[in-house]
């Protein structure tokens, strides 16, 4: 599928960091949806680099709908959203164009594309490409919202600093999601915020970078969504989430915590409460046999520390096949995890809308003409 | 894609645990491949329940090629492989047919299929469906092997007992893979084997079950395979691996270990050795920007303890919406991780063959007529 | 997609003419459907060779559901249907195994599969592979029927003999469809039947074969189904129909008849009748801009005369690259068009169910538990 | 697949006639291709309305590559090509916004999109959307050309005026293709050109429109391309070609001409000439069993007369459900067939590149760094 993901609700991504524009075509958008401008702009805002804890490249990231909108509502035709690139420093990359930045795609891309890839700023591999994904995701999040489904992600861990977890109490958890979704720096326990920000600042000052763990919760997914075998919700969500550059691991519910437990400790027993079937615990993260069981969908993703750092590193020139010393000029993110949270929400929302459409059909989502 | 996965090399899965047969259609098999019968049977053998550490349901699991083979070679047409079911105890399931076994798909499936699903033995959700996947995987593994690509998985951790890791020395690692691939119980450090088996036996005797972590290594993947964005190798492998029932997490390279590291500690620096570009460390598990960089592909998956246990559990009857007490008769696996290892190899091999085909085309794989 | 077609409702085909079995996996079947055995058997019967106007190869074509059915209802899991091969004369093909039968796939397949294809009886290219398609189609036709959608195909032309067309009067047309669907030899004007059968018999006696044109009508498709651009109903139907071996052309509505008309003669004007929007004529075959407009969907397909004939022909041995004289022993169909009609219905029904599912979702089709 | 077509080489289409821009994302473009600017511009020129025989809407149709190109070569990342809309007369459409233009998508789209579609100028259904397809097709045609594959389409019939057919002599045919590809009005027999143009002019003057038949030939396709069953070359080509608005029929080789022939008259006998296996006739249009046999691929498409005409027509207001009289102001095409020819070439080329990639892989197509 290359740069296209999704079945009935599908995203096609394009653009390079230092090209003219980056963007996305979102197909399968139900007709008659009035884009919630406030929500949309807020989502874009959450991804934007801000303050000293992010790169100093500052882009307007204005999203230009070139299709799919008419009289402020979606038409049912594909939405192409363009974001023009502005604040590039392309010359920064010229002298390292044949050097493989450690942990970056440079070398792999050079082999794959025979040296023709746009090397400037990571080209098509740049984290900047997450901006159009957030734009597409904003629409998906709005669609979920209108169906009573809420999604949110917080920084569960940054370097060694650990945030609280989502409440196991659904109403409380929902409140937490609503709160973190308003926060620039998504954290449940505000007392940990300053520590995290300071840790990022320290990384920046030592020309280094940090990563961490994101925790995501989706409340309101009806039971019965997903497929056995190859289209389990876990399969589809992980497929989508791993398309985010720095993600190197994902776990659902208890995840790797299952490794040293007995079944009797971690099986999620069912019970009937107020006539509803629920589970007493949610170690499976709301998914049984690949299918939603009505409980909150819970997953964690690990975001590796940003590969681009200014610190001196060893590397190679893949053209001359010589070892080289590398100091990458340019504007680096000492952390991206606090910005990645909204990208994770976006990719998850896009995936879940797609899953819901398969079950309920396009008509369920369509607006009504007054 | 539901029960079909893959693009040029694709698997379609069917069957229920207590139905007549289970099976798989493997499409895109290059013509002219002589199935390596020994390898094929060995792979099937590795998945089979054996001894006291697995379920007492004993099936012959004979694979019947109903198509795609002619004069012992693949024809290029789809291979349908059938495995007949034999040793069912369907009546075991009749009395719990409306009861949601904890952490099983029963309830979610009941909502999804409106009560029409085949509830016997987990139906289409049964772990038994991994048998045809192993059959398909055996062919994929053979195809990789002929291209010099080796894959292997060992039980990195079982409950609290931890095995050694793969050697970072490639030749040594390759030897380890060859060795574990011969072992019924895949472990690198043989000294840990008895402990693990004993732990499983203890679980069995307490009517409980255990899980753990599998570690997989692929050696010989050329650089330049995979896609940026939505078809990263991580995206595709995780999609495939999460289709295995008990898997609840996956991490590539250092994975969740990245969370508390600085970039300078974990970036994989490149160096030239004997004219080849390699990395000094392999924290990214052989994948940069979604594309292989020529280093071993490394990932770990967590396998939760088997949900089916004989121990008393609380649950609900989803028909009457009453709380019930549950003791599941039947033949349970006190652990499946030692059998899941070959399923992980299979799904990974299927995925990687597909990725390779996109780059090199079908002709690269085709046999030659003598 | 190779041997798989469809999105939410998808068919995977396998098998070779002289292999053990042929079959199909039908995925995305709504749960809770009780297979209408009478309809199912009738459809299979319609495809079967009968009398002197078809091949003398007589197969039982018994369909064996190896999965997806439980207590006589669909489970929602994939249905694998197997048809065992019986009455093969494989030795007929041995001596012509390197000879390219004119207009057959033999040579093209030999290049594609490097000589490893199963050459016996056309292998995977055999018209026999339409039997499982008819089985899958029978389920699709039943699904359509339950939604009030009727489909039927008649032999519009056989060699030079021309049948009447479907009535433009919808109720009358519906009655015609119901009638032809009961007929072994599908024809509207019964007066033409004997001529057609005699023409086929003449072809048989001269060791030759004939083709013709099929006309298909679908009544009851709601307006608004299909997609602009690449998933027009025409695109999807033609994709499916051209997978039938002998089909070499398709036209919708007036089709090639449009070529010498002025717009004002053939534009379908709309009018309101009894509060419903209909068109006065239906030259567009019920499809505007790729989307159904509520009028009957009409298309014609040309079925070339069967390529397998007993008459002497010139050809080549593609192994030795020598010209050869060819007389094909074996049992030939002097015509297949009267059997192809049910294959066209099947492929069309499969396609339309898929289109409907995208719009209305799986839940719309699911049975209800009593 | 909605607005995306193709597997390894894939096109995603977006835009509305009177929106800001229309465009296409072309993914799977091999890296290192230097766009042949002359060929590219020529293709765009061929589609452009010119003179009195086309609409008076005159657009620059300048193609803006916003991604996928770097230093004048393709990067391997998706190419997004934008074409801004300029010369709209949107007000022409306001008063007929609830009127179903006969044979147009207006009514079907209104049902499908619940009234939210952009009605101006046909919106996403507009023939204008073929401009980005021609841009994508130009790249496909260049890729084919570099592999020695030539494609061309001429107006075989316009209303009642008939052009010659392609020569059955391959070298001569190739010359014809090269010639027609240079012609604004693609015709083999120049003596028929004036008649055809005059016929279009007559249609224009009577406020009417005409259609006709296009004939396409592809020379140089290697044998062995395509798939049996659902991905026959006929299936894939027809799928692509029917995405062009006005196409209502397609036939391969002799096509509907097969209907009244005996097999012995039309079977394509093979022969060996200069060591090459060829067929004496090419009634199957270069395709046997869905797979190319090395002969020219030949197909014809019927293009219905343009639905938009200025003449008085009857229709309905689908909002009020009243019958109305309709005279469509605006700028109409009295014929589009002479412009559609390059769209057919484009869609065919896109499809064939995709088929070739599956067989030979991406590496076969990639440029080499000097």
């Amino acid at each position: 599928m290359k740069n296209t993901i999704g079945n009935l609700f599908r995203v096609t991504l394009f653009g390079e960091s230092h090209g003219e524009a980056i963007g996305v075509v979102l197909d399968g958008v139900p007709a008659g949806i009035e884009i919630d401008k406030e929500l949309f702009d807020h989502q874009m805002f959450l991804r934007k680099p801000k303050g000293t804890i992010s790169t100093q490249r500052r882009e307007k990231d204005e999203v230009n709908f070139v299709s799919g909108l008419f009289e402020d509502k979606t038409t049912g035709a594909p939405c192409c959203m363009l974001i023009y690139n502005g604040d590039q420093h392309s010359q920064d990359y010229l002298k390292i164009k044949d050097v493989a930045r450690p942990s970056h795609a440079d070398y792999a891309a050079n082999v794959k594309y025979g040296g023709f890839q746009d090397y400037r700023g990571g080209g098509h591999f740049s984290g900047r490409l997450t901006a159009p994904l957030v734009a597409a995701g904003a629409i998906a999040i709005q669609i979920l919202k209108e169906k009573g489904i809420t999604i949110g992600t917080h920084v569960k861990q940054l370097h060694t600093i650990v945030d609280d977890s989502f409440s196991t109490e659904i109403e409380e958890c929902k409140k937490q999601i609503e709160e973190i979704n308003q926060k620039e720096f998504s954290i449940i326990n505000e007392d940990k915020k300053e520590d995290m920000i300071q840790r990022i600042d320290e990384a920046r000052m030592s020309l280094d970078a940090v990563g961490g763990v994101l925790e995501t919760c989706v409340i309101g997914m009806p039971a019965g969504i997903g497929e056995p075998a190859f289209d389990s919700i876990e399969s589809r969500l992980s497929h989508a989430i791993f398309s985010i550059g720095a993600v190197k691991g994902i776990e659902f519910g208890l995840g790797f915590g299952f490794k040293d437990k007995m079944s009797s400790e971690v099986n999620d027993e069912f019970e009937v409460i107020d006539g509803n079937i629920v589970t007493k615990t949610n170690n499976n993260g709301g998914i049984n046999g690949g299918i939603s069981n009505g409980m909150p969908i819970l997953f964690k993703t690990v975001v590796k520390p940003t590969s681009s750092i200014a610190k001196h590193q060893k590397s190679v020139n893949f053209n001359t096949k010589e070892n080289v010393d590398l100091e990458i000029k340019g504007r680096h993110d000492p952390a991206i995890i606090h910005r990645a949270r909204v990208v994770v929400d976006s990719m998850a929302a896009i995936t879940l809308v797609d899953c819901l459409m398969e079950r309920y059909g396009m008509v369920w989502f369509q607006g009504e003409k007054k």
Side-chain angles (χ1 to χ4, degrees), chain A:
Chain A
M1 297 277 286
K2 293 192 163 89
N3 289 281
T4 298
I5 194 169
N7 186 7
L8 299 182
F9 188 72
R10 53 168 46 188
V11 169
T12 299
L13 183 70
F14 58 86
E16 284 111 351
S17 181
H18 291 215
E20 183 179 347
I22 55 180
V24 85
V25 180
L26 185 60
D27 200 6
V29 185
I33 292 183
E34 184 165 352
I35 306 290
D36 179 337
K37 200 75 183 71
E38 202 177 329
L39 171 62
F40 191 92
D41 290 345
H42 180 66
Q43 295 297 107
M44 293 304 293
F45 170 79
L46 291 178
R47 200 206 70 95
K48 259 193 189 172
K50 286 174 288 284
T52 59
I53 60 171
S54 298
T55 172
Q56 294 308 303
R57 178 174 178 181
R58 294 299 147 90
E59 293 276 12
K60 284 200 296 186
D61 283 354
E62 219 164 83
V63 179
N64 183 13
F65 278 79
V66 304
S67 70
L69 273 194
F70 178 52
E71 297 176 342
D72 293 329
K73 295 216 176 71
T74 56
T75 62
C79 292
C80 175
M81 297 176 247
L82 269 192
I83 300 172
Y84 286 95
N85 292 318
D87 183 21
Q88 306 112 319
H89 290 184
S90 300
Q91 61 285 13
D92 287 355
Y93 294 90
L94 191 60
K95 65 176 122 173
I96 56 164
K97 83 187 185 68
D98 294 332
V99 176
R101 288 172 300 158
S103 293
H104 265 284
D106 303 336
Y107 170 63
N110 189 65
V111 174
K112 182 172 178 61
Y113 300 115
F116 295 103
Q117 71 283 4
D118 181 350
Y119 54 78
R120 299 167 305 165
H124 186 57
F125 293 85
S126 167
R128 190 159 160 65
L129 271 284
T130 57
L133 295 180
V134 170
I139 295 175
I141 286 169
Q142 179 181 344
I143 291 173
L144 291 181
K145 203 176 154 190
E146 286 171 11
K147 294 300 180 193
I149 301 165
T150 317
I151 185 168
T153 296
H154 70 111
V155 181
K156 179 72 186 67
Q157 179 166 350
L158 184 128
H159 200 232
T160 59
I161 307 159
V162 180
D163 188 17
D164 296 350
S165 282
F166 284 114
S167 169
T168 56
E169 187 55 54
I170 290 191
E171 282 314 307
E172 173 60 18
C173 176
K174 209 167 171 176
K175 228 183 79 194
Q176 289 173 332
I177 294 178
E178 274 153 23
E179 282 169 14
I180 58 173
N181 280 345
Q182 294 311 313
K183 295 182 186 178
E184 243 182 273
F185 194 97
S186 181
I187 198 164
I188 291 176
N189 183 343
E190 281 289 320
D191 297 347
K192 302 296 179 75
K193 185 175 155 187
E194 279 320 301
D195 287 0
M196 287 194 185
I197 286 177
Q198 195 185 326
R199 189 65 54 88
I200 299 175
D201 254 337
E202 286 163 13
R204 178 178 60 84
M205 286 182 297
S206 59
L207 309 181
D208 215 328
V210 288
V213 174
L214 292 171
E215 185 182 34
T216 302
C217 182
V218 187
I219 290 184
M221 273 297 280
I225 307 299
E227 295 288 335
F230 310 126
D231 265 356
S232 72
I233 292 199
E234 289 109 328
S235 284
R236 289 172 80 161
L237 278 177
S238 67
H239 193 131
I241 298 297
F242 274 119
S243 61
I244 305 170
V247 172
K248 294 300 277 191
I250 190 167
E251 57 181 12
F252 292 86
L254 193 55
F256 280 89
F258 276 116
K259 69 184 170 190
D260 52 7
K261 296 287 183 299
M262 306 293 282
S263 296
S264 59
E265 298 172 272
V266 292
N267 269 359
D268 295 317
E269 294 188 325
F270 288 92
E271 62 182 340
V272 178
I273 292 189
D274 299 337
N276 296 316
I277 293 170
V278 296
T279 60
K280 296 180 187 186
T281 49
N282 190 11
N283 293 319
N284 283 281
I287 308 166
N288 289 149
I291 296 174
S292 62
N293 65 8
M295 297 299 290
I297 291 178
L298 282 165
F299 63 91
K300 295 202 195 81
T301 47
V302 60
V303 177
K304 67 175 182 177
T306 335
S307 303
S308 301
I309 52 173
K311 229 176 181 167
H312 173 268
Q313 294 179 94
K314 297 276 183 194
S315 191
V316 303
N317 177 311
F318 43 69
N319 219 5
T320 61
K321 294 211 171 172
E322 289 168 330
N323 291 313
V324 297
D325 286 279
L326 176 67
E327 271 175 55
I328 316 174
K329 304 290 182 234
R331 298 161 298 178
H332 305 300
D333 279 280
I336 55 153
I337 188 166
H338 56 295
R339 298 168 57 205
R341 52 74 78 107
V342 70
V343 188
V344 167
D345 282 344
S346 296
M347 292 310 298
I350 288 165
T351 305
L352 295 175
V353 168
D354 196 29
C355 294
L356 287 161
M357 278 186 179
E358 295 190 4
R359 183 152 175 85
Y360 296 114
M362 183 57 77
V363 286
W364 192 55
F365 293 92
Q366 200 156 291
E368 247 169 89
K369 200 84 184 180
K370 283 157 227 162

